[in-house]
Amino acid sequence: KYIGSDEGYLYKAFFNPVANFIVEYVPAYVAPNTLTMIGFGFTVSIFATMFGVYGIDMDGEVGRWWYFYSAFAFLGYRIFDEMDGKQARRTKNSSVLGMVLDHGCDSFSCLLLMMASMKGCQMGSNLGAFVIQIVLMGAFLFIVLEEYYKGYFKLGPGNAVSDGSAIVIGGFLFSGIMGY
């Protein structure tokens, strides 16, 4: 059985209330894994548009529209990521497969979003960019291992998942406004 909590400021003030409101309008026949995959689709679309339109090099200018689109798509991903668990509990459709799918999509989303963000920041293909990728994915791995060994998943106040989302979305919006 999954036991988790999120004490993040943004989770309490925004993500949880919004997801609770929206999920009430989702029909009961919609599987929670469907919501997970829709949310994951938002992240894939950020990555695909970035590299499809601007190429595979990790540097070079990016259009302002992409930053605004990425802010919207990342917000969509985060809302759907909150909604899938709420839909599972609401419809009593929680499963181990759903948890694995959700965490798997979260891990891929972390990597894809980080790579697209690094290209958006024009970091280039260098050792620093590689180290950032390893550190971020290592942190994700340790969080999942902690959940496995402790038996619960707890995110404290000011965590990188909920509250860090504001930094990512804000960074996209700032870059879009300023034209970086």
Side-chain angles (χ1 to χ4, degrees):
K1 180 178 176 176
Y2 177 75
I3 302 170
S5 67
D6 190 340
E7 300 297 320
Y9 302 114
L10 198 56
Y11 174 79
K12 289 180 178 179
F14 179 74
F15 288 117
N16 189 39
V18 169
N20 279 329
F21 176 78
I22 296 172
V23 81
E24 291 299 320
Y25 294 97
V26 175
Y29 61 81
V30 174
N33 292 347
T34 302
L35 298 178
T36 301
M37 294 309 295
I38 291 170
F40 183 59
F42 277 109
T43 301
V44 170
S45 73
I46 294 170
F47 180 82
T49 56
M50 167 59 83
F51 290 96
V53 173
Y54 297 107
I56 61 171
D57 295 330
M58 292 299 284
D59 52 10
E61 295 210 13
V62 177
R64 294 172 113 173
W65 68 269
W66 181 82
Y67 293 110
F68 291 116
Y69 173 74
S70 296
F72 165 77
F74 183 63
L75 179 62
Y77 159 70
R78 286 290 296 124
I79 299 261
F80 274 91
D81 189 40
E82 297 299 334
M83 286 172 49
D84 60 4
K86 294 174 187 335
Q87 179 76 346
R89 287 184 290 280
R90 186 173 82 112
T91 62
K92 297 179 180 34
N93 282 328
S94 297
S95 68
V96 174
L97 173 64
M99 185 178 76
V100 170
L101 182 68
D102 184 38
H103 287 325
C105 287
D106 289 345
S107 66
F108 276 107
S109 293
C110 181
L111 177 65
L112 296 177
L113 185 65
M114 175 187 49
M115 288 176 62
S117 298
M118 292 172 76
K119 180 175 172 76
C121 293
Q122 302 176 22
M123 291 191 70
S125 300
N126 55 46
L127 182 62
F130 179 73
V131 168
I132 290 171
Q133 290 175 0
I134 295 298
V135 167
L136 186 60
M137 294 313 294
F140 192 91
L141 172 68
F142 284 116
I143 289 169
V144 171
L145 284 174
E146 179 184 34
E147 175 191 1
Y148 178 77
Y149 285 109
K150 286 187 170 183
Y152 61 89
F153 188 72
K154 180 178 180 179
L155 296 170
N159 67 69
V161 176
S162 298
D163 299 323
S165 296
I167 295 168
V168 174
I169 293 168
F172 282 141
L173 291 174
F174 179 79
S175 295
I177 292 167
M178 300 304 289
Y180 296 142

